[in-house]
């Protein structure tokens, strides 16, 4: 599918910089840029006479002969371009005004301003990318950690596409044989077909279940490790947050209950990203506003992938501390004995009798123990994420919902086999599973879904 119109947009940041790039795509892109592109002698440069994947030096000039900028122009002829259409990229000096002047010139010649994500949308509709790869483009741009970037690049190279095509081909093989046998029972027998399709379905269910299970890790890779900082009031949770961020992000006072809402920040520990949640101190209170914050803290624990339990090292274990450990018992995490710069009465040995979480002495005031904690967290998360290598992860809700639909169809097929239903009824569930998987790569997706996918893309991509 190739479009008659030609689109253009600024493909670099809107902030002032040394270089900006304007991208033009469409079958007439070379013609339009040739109308405003001149050599040093003031003669137009006809890009239609130039070889593909070449760069040309010259000047942009308006219709009145005014020189706008000194530029490089790159040509990429179809289909060897990002959109599979003729693409021209103008590399000009950075700055909002210069880019706008060049864009206005192109629009006057007949070019249309691109919508957000329209270049990638054209790459998808022209068959250069499938929908999972197109979605991974934005994941690459928005990656917050090295781990997220690596997996987004894997998806961009087609890791999900290859797996989905494998599963769909298996379904298609069964659908084709079943329909052929039903149409020509004299030459094709369905004897033993139920056993064959059951074997295939067991494999399909195992693979789909694995992808769904990995979708949780996919969320962690994409959004970071949801990490709740928990403890009773005045143990130093906000001070810890400021310490690990190395900035005064949270308000710190000696008054219990200062933090009444959650405060969220990101921090990199090695290649992993921690999404830190500073929560209200958990205690019994009559203060209605503080109580709301405590309830939010409890919900943060429920959502957390990891917890950092902070105790006051100057005080013995209290009932509220035991409650916090119990609330986070099923969660991975560490325990910090804060205020180690003072006279501590709590020891890691005492904590070990209550929980199997690793325990550290720590001082949010002096930073003592911070380096050891970061080293431990880095080693912990590195060991966790090493297992993510070469795995396929579903990282967005749309793909996950398509997998859930696929799983439902497979389970219904299993039930039909167990109930001894006629083979012709298998076709319904096989086809539904085939189409649900097709939604992931865009083979069976409706236009409104496609538009929804690309509407959140940045301009120029």
């Amino acid at each position: 599918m190739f479009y008659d119109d030609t689109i253009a947009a600024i493909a670099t940041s809107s902030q002032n910089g040394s270089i900006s790039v304007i991208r033009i795509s469409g079958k007439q892109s070379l013609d339009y840029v040739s109308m405003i592109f001149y050599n040093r002698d003031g003669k137009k440069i006809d890009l239609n006479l130039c070889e593909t994947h070449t760069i040309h030096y010259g000047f942009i000039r308006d219709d009145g002969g005014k020189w706008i900028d000194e530029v490089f122009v790159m040509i990429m002829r179809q289909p060897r371009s990002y959109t599979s259409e003729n693409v021209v990229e103008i590399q000009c000096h950075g700055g909002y005004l210069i880019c706008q002047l060049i864009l206005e010139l192109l629009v006057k010649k007949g070019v249309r301003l691109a919508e957000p994500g329209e270049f990638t949308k054209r790459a998808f509709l022209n068959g250069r990318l499938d929908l999972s790869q197109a979605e991974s483009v934005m994941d690459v741009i928005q990656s917050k950690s090295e781990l997220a970037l690596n997996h987004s690049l894997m998806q961009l190279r087609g890791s999900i596409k290859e797996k989905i095509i494998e599963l769909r081909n298996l379904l298609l093989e069964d659908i084709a044989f079943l329909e052929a046998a039903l149409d020509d029972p004299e030459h094709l027998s369905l004897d033993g077909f139920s056993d064959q399709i059951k074997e295939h379905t067991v494999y399909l269910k195992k693979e789909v279940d694995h992808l769904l299970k990995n979708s949780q890790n996919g969320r962690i890779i994409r959004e970071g490790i949801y990490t709740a900082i928990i403890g009773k009031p005045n143990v130093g949770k906000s001070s810890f947050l400021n310490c690990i961020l190395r900035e005064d992000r949270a308000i710190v006072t000696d008054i219990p209950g200062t933090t009444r809402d959650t405060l969220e920040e990101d921090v990199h520990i090695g290649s992993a990203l921690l999404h830190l949640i500073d929560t209200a101190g958990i205690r019994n209170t009559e203060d209605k506003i503080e109580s709301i914050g405590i309830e939010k803290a409890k919900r943060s624990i429920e959502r957390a992938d990891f917890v950092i339990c902070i105790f006051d090292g100057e005080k013995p274990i209290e009932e509220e501390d035991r409650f916090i450990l119990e609330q986070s018992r099923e969660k991975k995490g560490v325990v910090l004995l804060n205020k180690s710069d003072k006279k501590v009465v709590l020891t890691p040995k005492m904590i070990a009798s209550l929980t199997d979480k690793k325990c550290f002495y720590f001082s949010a005031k002096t930073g003592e123990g911070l380096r050891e904690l970061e080293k431990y967290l880095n080693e912990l998360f590195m060991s966790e994420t090493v297992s993510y290598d070469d795995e396929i992860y579903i990282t967005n809700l749309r793909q996950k919902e398509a997998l859930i639909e696929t799983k439902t169809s497979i389970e219904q097929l299993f039930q039909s086999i167990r109930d001894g239903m006629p083979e012709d009824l298998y076709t319904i569930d096989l086809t539904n599973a085939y189409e649900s998987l097709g939604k992931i790569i865009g083979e069976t997706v409706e236009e409104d879904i496609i538009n929804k996918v690309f509407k959140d893309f940045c301009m120029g991509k």
Side-chain angles (χ1 to χ4, degrees), residues 129 132-134 136-137 140 151-159:
L129 301 173
S132 69
Q133 289 174 301
S136 72
V137 171
V140 167
H151 283 279
S152 296
L153 290 171
M154 279 179 60
Q155 187 167 327
L156 182 58
R157 291 195 297 268
S159 59

Side-chain angles (χ1 to χ4, degrees), residues 88-108:
V88 180
E89 291 188 352
I90 301 173
Q91 186 181 105
C92 60
H93 287 94
Y96 177 80
L97 179 60
I98 291 173
C99 290
Q100 287 303 310
L101 289 173
I102 296 174
L103 268 181
E104 287 173 10
L105 282 175
L106 290 167
V107 170
K108 285 179 182 178

Side-chain angles (χ1 to χ4, degrees), residues 148-358:
L149 175 60
N150 290 341
H151 283 279
S152 296
L153 290 171
M154 279 179 60
Q155 187 167 327
L156 182 58
R157 291 195 297 268
S159 59
I160 288 179
K161 177 183 178 181
E162 290 173 1
K163 173 53 70 174
I164 298 304
I165 288 176
E166 176 204 333
L167 300 181
R168 292 187 90 215
N169 284 342
L170 192 60
L171 286 163
L172 189 60
E173 176 186 329
D174 289 333
I175 293 170
F177 179 82
L178 180 56
E179 291 185 344
L182 292 172
D183 288 341
D184 188 10
E186 293 182 5
H187 297 92
L188 292 173
S189 173
L190 286 174
D191 291 343
F193 181 69
S194 293
D195 292 335
Q196 175 188 317
I197 200 170
K198 185 175 181 180
E199 181 182 337
H200 287 177
T201 310
V202 167
Y203 174 75
L204 287 164
K205 186 177 185 305
K206 184 187 75 171
E207 293 298 307
V208 170
D209 283 343
H210 183 68
L211 289 172
L212 281 170
K213 182 180 178 182
N214 273 358
S215 65
Q216 173 66 10
N217 290 333
R219 179 195 62 77
I220 291 173
I221 290 170
R222 183 178 182 181
E223 300 175 9
I225 299 165
Y226 195 95
T227 306
I229 306 170
I230 59 176
K232 63 189 180 186
N234 254 33
V235 295
K237 297 184 298 300
S238 296
S239 297
F240 167 76
L241 179 67
N242 291 339
C243 183
I244 200 166
L245 292 176
R246 292 173 173 81
E247 63 173 290
D248 291 334
R249 181 65 181 86
I251 297 173
V252 178
T253 74
D254 293 330
I255 304 171
T258 302
T259 301
R260 298 193 171 198
D261 201 352
T262 56
L263 181 64
E264 306 187 15
E265 287 290 337
D266 290 340
V267 64
H268 286 87
I269 302 293
S271 63
L273 175 72
L274 268 66
H275 186 69
L276 296 171
I277 317 295
D278 181 21
T279 65
I282 297 175
R283 65 169 177 172
N284 293 320
T285 179
E286 299 298 324
D287 188 305
K288 290 184 178 180
I289 297 177
E290 188 181 354
S291 295
I292 294 172
I294 292 170
E295 286 303 313
K296 292 185 73 172
K298 292 177 181 177
R299 290 197 296 270
S300 294
I301 295 173
E302 292 174 3
R303 291 176 54 200
D305 306 306
F306 192 82
V307 293
I308 297 176
C309 306
I310 300 184
F311 291 170
D312 187 340
E314 287 189 292
K315 299 178 180 179
I317 287 286
E318 297 178 348
E319 193 58 37
E320 289 165 338
D321 297 316
R322 296 178 187 276
F323 175 77
I324 288 164
L325 286 176
E326 179 59 28
Q327 287 285 99
S328 61
R329 182 168 53 87
E330 301 298 325
K331 301 291 183 178
K332 296 179 181 179
V334 296
V335 176
L336 299 185
L337 304 181
N338 195 24
K339 305 181 183 180
S340 63
D341 53 302
K342 299 181 180 180
K343 186 177 180 180
V344 296
V345 296
L346 269 182
T347 67
K349 187 175 181 180
M350 295 176 186
I351 299 298
S353 65
L354 303 173
T355 179
D356 58 358
K357 292 179 175 62
K358 185 77 172 179

